[in-house]
Amino acid sequence: MSANERAGGRGGPGHGLEEAPVPMSSAAPVASPPGGTAGKGPAAASGTSPPGRRRRARRRRQARVGLLFAAPMLLLFVVFRFGPVLGAVLLSLTDYRLSGEWTFIGFENYTRLGGDDLFWDSLRVTLLYVVIFVPLTVLMSLATAAMLHQVVWRRGLFRGIFFLPYVTSIVLAAVIWKWIYDAEDGLVNGLLGLASLGPVDFLGRGELVLPSIALTSAWKGFGYSMLILLAGLQAIPRSYTEAAMIDGAGPWQRFRHVTLPLLRPVLFFVMVIETITAFQVFDAMYVMTGGGPVRSSFSLVYMLYDSGFKFFDFGYASAIGLVIFVFVLGVSLVQRRFLGRED
């Protein structure tokens, strides 16, 4: 057979040979127009959704189930957190008495606060206490956390010892420190007597009473902030401080330029919670001084307590509570502006 005949046998062009028809099998795939069922892929042809769609549906279903389980706690949080706040706002607009009788008086309680000299004195005492207490507590917590961060032997034991005052009752701590400050037979004045220094009435002098109470409260509560700061220090990668050490930075330079910037979010949180604690001071003042001497330790919460539970003027007490809330919110926003911002 010649080459031309072999080419014609393979159906080459120009040889007039017709191709044999190919029988169509029932199993052969049939092309479908664009947009048809076959054009959407095997998953659509088999009646199933794409994997991405299935994952999104599964996540939505899991979110609904999680929300269903969390709904009771969320409901309790809304009722017992926002409910009292709303009740305090409404109560501050009324003249509510212990008998249950009330009269809507609008903003008269707030106008009354503006002309109350006792309110302004209490506000001055509270702000001064905040200025003393917050830096003292933060410095104590940061210094203790930095020392514990360097400790390797028995770190858990020392951490428990420093945290122990936090779980102590504030009333018990106030009673103990009241004896320590006692002008006649207190521990501090006993030590001052050994140095031939006269007795100092820490709780009887107006210029010393707030620092004395602030020191007591700082000793009582610094353990909580210490643990938070210690966790923040342990979360900082050692590679940063090691790189600064290789570059020749000393301990103070490493702490100032490496540790503090990385610790700023944790430090912001600690300052906010300690500020809230300072604005709410009452127990230590009530036990140690009773608001004296001459109302030198009479805070806003102490005034709220007297108005609500001594004179039963609940509307006026609610107005004081909302003023405290506004001050705490304002100070927290200022702290957020300088400490909480992100570079």
Side-chain angles (χ1 to χ4, degrees):
M1 182 181 294
S2 65
N4 292 335
E5 292 176 345
R6 286 196 300 268
R10 288 195 293 267
H15 293 278
L17 297 178
E18 297 181 355
E19 296 181 357
V22 180
M24 182 175 293
S25 173
S26 59
V30 180
S32 59
T37 304
K40 294 182 180 179
S46 61
T48 60
S49 59
R53 187 180 301 174
R54 291 199 302 269
R55 284 195 298 269
R56 289 193 295 270
R58 184 170 61 251
R59 284 197 295 266
R60 286 195 296 266
R61 186 167 56 251
Q62 292 174 349
R64 286 194 295 267
V65 173
L67 184 61
L68 181 63
F69 278 100
M73 185 56 65
L74 290 176
L75 180 62
L76 290 175
F77 180 82
V78 170
V79 171
F80 291 101
R81 176 65 65 177
F82 295 102
V85 174
L86 180 60
V89 172
L90 298 177
L91 197 61
S92 68
L93 303 177
T94 65
D95 182 14
Y96 188 91
R97 295 296 174 176
L98 187 61
S99 60
E101 299 177 356
W102 61 275
T103 305
F104 182 79
I105 59 175
F107 294 96
E108 185 176 328
N109 284 323
Y110 297 97
T111 306
R112 179 181 164 191
L113 274 177
D116 193 346
D117 293 336
L118 182 59
F119 166 75
W120 293 109
D121 291 340
S122 302
L123 178 60
R124 178 187 58 81
V125 169
T126 303
L127 293 178
L128 182 58
Y129 179 83
V130 170
V131 171
I132 298 173
F133 172 80
V134 174
L136 178 63
T137 306
V138 172
L139 287 177
M140 288 177 60
S141 304
L142 185 59
T144 309
M147 288 189 297
L148 285 179
H149 185 56
Q150 303 298 326
V151 173
V152 179
W153 182 79
R154 299 286 186 178
R155 177 186 296 175
L157 174 63
F158 292 112
R159 186 170 52 196
I161 292 174
F162 286 120
F163 186 74
L164 188 60
Y166 181 76
V167 299
T168 307
S169 169
I170 181 60
V171 176
L172 178 60
V175 170
I176 294 174
W177 279 85
K178 185 178 180 180
W179 167 75
I180 292 175
Y181 288 135
D182 191 80
E184 296 182 0
D185 56 355
L187 178 62
V188 176
N189 280 295
L191 296 176
L192 292 176
L194 296 177
S196 300
L197 299 175
V200 179
D201 192 1
F202 292 97
L203 301 180
R205 295 174 57 178
E207 67 274 14
L208 296 178
V209 62
L210 285 182
S212 302
I213 296 176
L215 180 60
T216 301
S217 301
W219 173 86
K220 164 68 174 62
F222 85 99
Y224 179 74
S225 299
M226 175 204 69
L227 288 184
I228 296 176
L229 290 171
L230 179 60
L233 289 173
Q234 292 175 345
I236 298 176
R238 293 184 61 89
S239 58
Y240 292 169
T241 55
E242 291 174 353
M245 189 183 304
I246 293 175
D247 290 340
W252 169 247
Q253 292 175 323
R254 294 196 301 271
F255 181 78
R256 179 183 176 185
H257 298 288
V258 178
T259 304
L260 275 183
L262 296 174
L263 199 64
R264 191 170 63 181
V266 182
L267 200 59
F268 164 68
F269 174 77
V270 167
M271 291 195 69
V272 169
I273 62 173
E274 295 299 344
T275 301
I276 295 173
T277 302
F279 270 100
Q280 295 177 343
V281 60
F282 168 73
D283 310 69
M285 293 181 177
Y286 184 83
V287 174
M288 299 178 71
T289 63
V294 197
R295 300 193 183 275
S296 297
S297 58
F298 194 77
S299 65
L300 281 176
V301 178
Y302 210 128
M303 183 181 177
L304 185 153
Y305 168 81
D306 278 356
S307 300
F309 298 99
K310 184 179 289 186
F311 304 111
F312 304 111
D313 194 353
F314 297 109
Y316 195 56
S318 299
I320 297 172
L322 289 175
V323 169
I324 295 173
F325 169 76
V326 170
F327 271 100
V328 171
L329 180 62
V331 174
S332 300
L333 291 177
V334 172
Q335 292 172 336
R336 174 71 175 85
R337 173 67 177 81
F338 291 99
L339 288 177
R341 68 177 187 269
E342 297 180 358
D343 294 334

